[in-house]
Structures are given as C-alpha cells and as structure tokens.
Amino acid sequence: MRMGMRLLLGYFLIVAVAGWFVFSIFVQEVKPGVRRAMEGTLIDTATLMAELAKDDLLSGNTQNGRLAKAFADLRYQPINASISGIKKRRNEYLLYMTDAQGKVVFDSAGRAVGQDYSRWNDVWLTLRGKYGARSTQSDPDDIDSTVMYVAAPIINDGKIIGVLSVGKANNTMAPVIKRSERRILWAGGALLGIALMIGGVMVWWINRSIGKLVRYADSVTLEQPVPLPDVGSSELRKLASALESMRVKLEGKNYIEHYVHALTHELKSPLAAIRGAAEILQEAPPPQVAARFTDNILTQNARMQVLVEKLLLQAKVESRLEIPLAAVAVNALFVRLRESRSIQLERKGIVLEYDESDLQVEGEAELLDEALGNLLDNAIDFTPSGGRIWLTARAQEALVFIRVTDSGSGIPDYAIDRLFERFYSLPRENGHKSSGLGLAFVREVARLHRGNIQLVNVSPTGAEATLTLHRRFT
C-alpha cells in the first residue's frame, strides 16, 4: 500500500473513532437532555397552576371551578403551531389535584377522581415538603408509554392543603429527540466527509511533494538533472536538500572520472600525431616534408586548444544550477549569429535566411548566443556549398520554438541517439571531427533555461534543431 493511502487511512480512522465517541455521547445525551428540559417546564407549570387551583380546592368546587372550566374549554380550542417544523395540534398536559390526604379531587382526564394517590412518589414526597416527581407507564405493556409527572404543593396559610401534579407523556417529545439525533448523525456524516476530503487534499499535497522528489531523483538517474524542486514542507525541503547534496557529490565524482577518461581518449589522437611528426622532424627531412609535418603539429595543437577551451566552458555550464533570467530579443540573437558567422557562410557560399521577429524569451543572452552558435556551426559544417540555412522562431502559448534548419546530408540513423553525448562527433566534409561538446553544451543551456533541445531529419534533405524556451511576457 502506498504511503499516501496509509496516511489517509490512519488519519481517517483517528477522525472516525474520535467522531464516533463524540457523537455517540451527543446522541446518548439527547433524550435525557430533552427530558430534563421538559421536567423544568413541568415544575414551573405545576407551581403556577397550584396557585391558581388553591381557590378551587378551598371552595370544595374542584369539579366546576376555574381549573376544570379552563381544561374543558381547551378541548374546543385546538392548537395549530409549527415549532421548527414539528406540528403541535393540542394541549398535551395531564393534570390532577389531590387533597391533603392524597385523594384525587380533580383529574383533567376524568379517570382518577376519588382514587387514593397518596402512595405515588410525586404526591407522597410533595405532601412531606419535598420535591415530588415520577415517571410511570400508562400502559404496562408498552415501555414507550411513560408519562412524567411533577408535583407542586398547594399551600394556604403556610400549610400544605393539597398537591397539584402536572404530567406530560414522554413520547410527545419523540419528534424533537429524533430530529436532534438525525441532525447530529447528519452532522457527523458531514464531518467525516469533510475530514476525508481534507485528508485527501493533505495526501495529494504530500504525494505531489514526494512526486517532485521522485521525478528529481529519476532525472538525476537519467543524467538529465533539473533544478531542485520546491516541495513546501520544511521536512521535505531538508530531504530535498540532502538529495541535492548527495547528487552534487556523486555527480562531482562521476563527472571527474568521466571527463578524465573522455579527455584522455580525445587527446590520444592529436598527441600521437604530434609525437609522430616530431620524431620525423628530428631526422631533418626535406623542407617540404618538414613544413607539412609542422603544419600538422600546429593543427593538432589548435585542435587540443579548442577541445580544452570547450571542455572548460562545458564544465562551467554544467556546474551551474540556476541562472539569472532576463528578457532576450530573438531578433537580436539572429542578427548576432549572422554577423559572427558571416565569414564561414561566405566561404562556403551558404545563404542564411531568417524572419524578423518581435518575440522575447526568458534567458541569459550570452548562453543563448553560444548555444545557437553551436547549432549554426553544425548546420554550416554539414551543409554543402551553395546550400541554405533557415533561422525561425514561433510562439505557442507560453513557449517559443527556435529552429535552425539546414539543407545538408541529415543525421545518420545510427547517430541519432548519441548526438548529445560528450565527445561524440560525426566526420565533416573535410574528414575532420569536432570536439563533440557543442550539442552537449546546448543541452546544458536548455536545462538551465528549463527548456528542451531536439534534433531531427527533415524532408527531402537536411536536419532541424529545435531549442524550446519560455516566452517573456511584457
């Protein structure tokens, strides 16, 4: 299982367990909480009604007094109220009144008059000056038929002369309880959904940061290093810095080993030629022969000098991780290329064509000059006398594609995959080979500009190099 999924599952389980505990407590507290609130209203009502019923009890006219008349009138005055979506149709209070001995003298339901209620907790405790309440099933076979009664004493001249008890069926509060439980469960489900969404975003963010590091490591493995990514988190940033330090040290070691081997290999041929020419010159050959071998020594020396200079430039570019970016005009690049290569172009009779362009790219002008110069040099070397070379620039969204197209012999199939290797070179028309560092340098410049370089054959003859850069918006 991927680390991101493990983090998501662990996070979700923690939230789910914590949510389950919290919401189970909430749900368990809904019913007792509602009943405690109902009990508070019952005691307030009983106390008030006890004062109103005192005159009826003292007059002995409880069956026809004000209290009895009020309850009789309630039957003809239905309630039509909507309390937060819950419909209330009628008065749901049950009320009875007893005398000082606990005998029922009034019952709003008309069923308990004359009965002895002195043993019920609400009456028993209230007659003794205590808080009296009880909850009793109206139907012994139905546990949901409980009715809560709360009693208040009827006091005259400081003496308890009776008890008034107000009751309400607990199931009348069932809609309130169910709605509250339902809302809590909905809220719990929504909370878990939001938690899962937040967890998903967190995992996506972590995976995205780790993915950047993975792509960075893969690019190093493929010898196509990219700039150190910004991973956001301080811990991941430390890991990225550690990877970068490791890469730099490993690349430094590999870089030196590779360059020593490659440079040794490339220097063998000119050194051998110089040594052979020098040995022949020691034998005092005729002037014509001596001049030829002297020219050979100078040619090989120049070849080694070019190789060393380009190698130093290549090493300088490869050691850079970032470059300062500025606006560079593409048209100015084309003009400088034509002026700097005018002698080579005239010598071979090659026509260089380019379109005027107002495009600008983000980059370092000196590096772009050198990179495009290398591409143009290759095009000149492989274009026959009297041929043509085209410089073009096209923009597509945020990218600019600079193309150098020649009408030469094209790229052999066996060389396409090796063109950007250091010291790999194809023979020119004169049979000589270049340093093999030009295209490798262009690739490094493209990397520093976060761009790309491609080299392909075009029809009917010739090759085309495409340098991809980022457009400068002004």
Side-chain angles (χ1 to χ4, degrees):
M1 185 182 294
R2 297 179 62 182
M3 186 178 71
M5 288 302 299
R6 293 180 181 178
L7 290 174
L8 179 59
L9 287 177
Y11 168 79
F12 185 71
L13 284 176
I14 292 173
V15 173
V17 171
W20 180 79
F21 274 112
V22 172
F23 286 111
S24 64
I25 292 173
F26 267 101
V27 171
Q28 291 172 9
E29 285 295 317
V30 167
K31 185 180 292 186
V34 170
R35 290 186 175 176
R36 282 193 293 268
M38 186 173 70
E39 185 175 352
T41 61
L42 288 176
I43 185 60
D44 291 340
T45 303
T47 303
L48 176 62
M49 297 298 288
E51 287 297 320
L52 295 176
K54 179 169 64 172
D55 291 340
D56 292 346
L57 184 60
L58 289 173
S59 65
N61 190 22
T62 57
Q63 296 300 315
N64 298 301
R66 287 188 302 170
L67 191 61
K69 187 175 184 302
F71 271 93
D73 292 342
L74 282 178
R75 298 174 186 176
Y76 304 103
Q77 297 177 6
I79 300 173
N80 187 18
S82 178
I83 305 173
S84 299
I86 299 175
K87 300 294 184 180
K88 185 175 180 64
R89 303 295 185 187
R90 58 186 177 82
N91 188 292
E92 295 162 342
Y93 277 150
L94 300 173
L95 183 146
Y96 63 83
M97 181 170 49
T98 72
D99 58 17
Q101 286 73 40
K103 182 181 178 181
V104 178
V105 295
F106 173 78
D107 179 12
S108 61
R111 294 191 297 265
V113 176
Q115 296 183 22
D116 183 7
Y117 272 24
S118 61
R119 294 297 181 180
W120 290 112
N121 272 348
D122 56 336
V123 177
W124 172 273
L125 294 173
T126 303
L127 288 174
R128 284 156 180 78
K130 299 179 182 179
Y131 172 64
R134 66 181 171 94
S135 184
T136 307
Q137 292 179 207
S138 60
D139 182 356
D141 298 326
D142 184 3
I143 60 173
D144 293 326
S145 65
T146 56
V147 179
M148 180 185 296
Y149 287 95
V150 176
I154 301 174
I155 301 174
N156 184 49
D157 295 333
K159 182 180 178 182
I160 297 175
I161 62 173
V163 173
L164 187 138
S165 185
V166 179
K168 190 171 185 178
N170 287 320
N171 58 17
T172 60
M173 301 304 295
V176 176
I177 295 172
K178 289 181 179 179
R179 188 186 64 176
S180 299
E181 292 177 346
R182 186 166 57 250
R183 288 189 175 181
I184 290 174
L185 292 176
W186 272 106
L191 177 61
L192 291 179
I194 294 172
L196 184 60
M197 187 182 301
I198 294 174
V201 172
M202 291 174 57
V203 169
W204 171 82
W205 176 72
I206 293 173
N207 283 340
R208 180 170 174 268
S209 300
I210 294 176
K212 288 182 180 179
L213 291 179
V214 171
R215 287 190 293 274
Y216 173 74
D218 289 339
S219 68
V220 172
T221 302
L222 297 174
E223 296 186 355
Q224 297 176 351
V226 297
L228 186 65
D230 181 13
V231 292
S233 170
S234 58
E235 291 79 6
L236 291 178
R237 193 178 298 116
K238 290 180 181 179
L239 177 59
S241 299
L243 286 175
E244 174 69 5
S245 299
M246 182 177 66
R247 180 190 73 82
V248 171
K249 290 182 180 180
L250 291 176
E251 282 192 350
K253 179 181 178 182
N254 294 334
Y255 180 87
I256 294 173
E257 291 179 355
H258 176 76
Y259 267 53
V260 167
H261 288 301
L263 184 60
T264 301
H265 176 76
E266 291 298 319
L267 291 177
K268 277 183 180 180
S269 178
L271 287 174
I274 291 173
R275 180 177 179 179
E279 289 175 351
I280 292 176
L281 289 175
Q282 283 182 337
E283 298 175 0
Q288 300 87 348
V289 176
R292 181 162 60 86
F293 281 101
T294 301
D295 289 341
N296 188 37
I297 290 175
L298 292 175
T299 300
Q300 296 300 325
N301 179 71
R303 179 183 174 188
M304 287 191 295
Q305 184 176 357
V306 170
L307 179 65
V308 171
E309 289 176 353
K310 287 199 171 184
L311 189 61
L312 290 174
L313 183 60
Q314 178 79 9
K316 181 181 178 180
V317 173
E318 290 182 350
S319 64
R320 298 176 68 177
L321 298 178
E322 294 182 356
I323 58 173
L325 299 177
V328 180
V330 174
N331 198 67
L333 290 174
F334 289 169
V335 171
R336 288 196 293 269
L337 283 175
R338 184 184 62 181
E339 293 175 351
S340 63
R341 267 68 176 181
S342 58
I343 296 177
Q344 295 95 312
L345 292 169
E346 290 178 4
R347 186 183 299 133
K348 295 188 68 174
I350 297 175
V351 177
L352 176 63
E353 298 181 0
Y354 68 89
D355 299 330
E356 296 286 339
S357 174
D358 58 355
L359 292 174
Q360 290 186 336
V361 295
E362 282 190 334
E364 187 176 305
E366 183 179 349
L367 288 179
L368 293 178
D369 278 336
E370 189 71 28
L372 290 174
N374 285 338
L375 295 178
L376 183 56
D377 288 339
N378 282 341
I380 294 173
D381 287 344
F382 289 98
T383 299
S385 299
R388 288 179 179 272
I389 297 175
W390 296 270
L391 299 178
T392 59
R394 295 290 183 271
Q396 182 177 343
E397 295 180 353
L399 300 178
V400 174
F401 301 93
I402 300 178
R403 294 183 173 89
V404 181
T405 309
D406 62 57
S407 57
S409 57
I411 307 167
D413 292 339
Y414 65 83
I416 289 179
D417 295 333
R418 301 189 61 191
L419 287 174
F420 296 100
E421 291 182 11
R422 301 184 190 95
F423 305 111
Y424 184 80
S425 177
L426 294 172
R428 272 58 174 169
E429 288 182 339
N430 56 11
H432 294 160
K433 296 174 67 177
S434 69
S435 64
L437 292 172
L439 290 179
F441 176 84
V442 175
R443 184 181 66 177
E444 289 303 313
V445 172
R447 175 186 67 83
L448 287 173
H449 287 78
R450 299 190 180 185
N452 190 27
I453 177 66
Q454 287 184 328
L455 203 58
V456 296
N457 287 320
V458 295
S459 179
T461 59
E464 181 177 83
T466 303
L467 179 62
T468 304
L469 301 171
H470 291 273
R471 185 175 183 179
R472 179 80 175 196
F473 292 95
T474 57

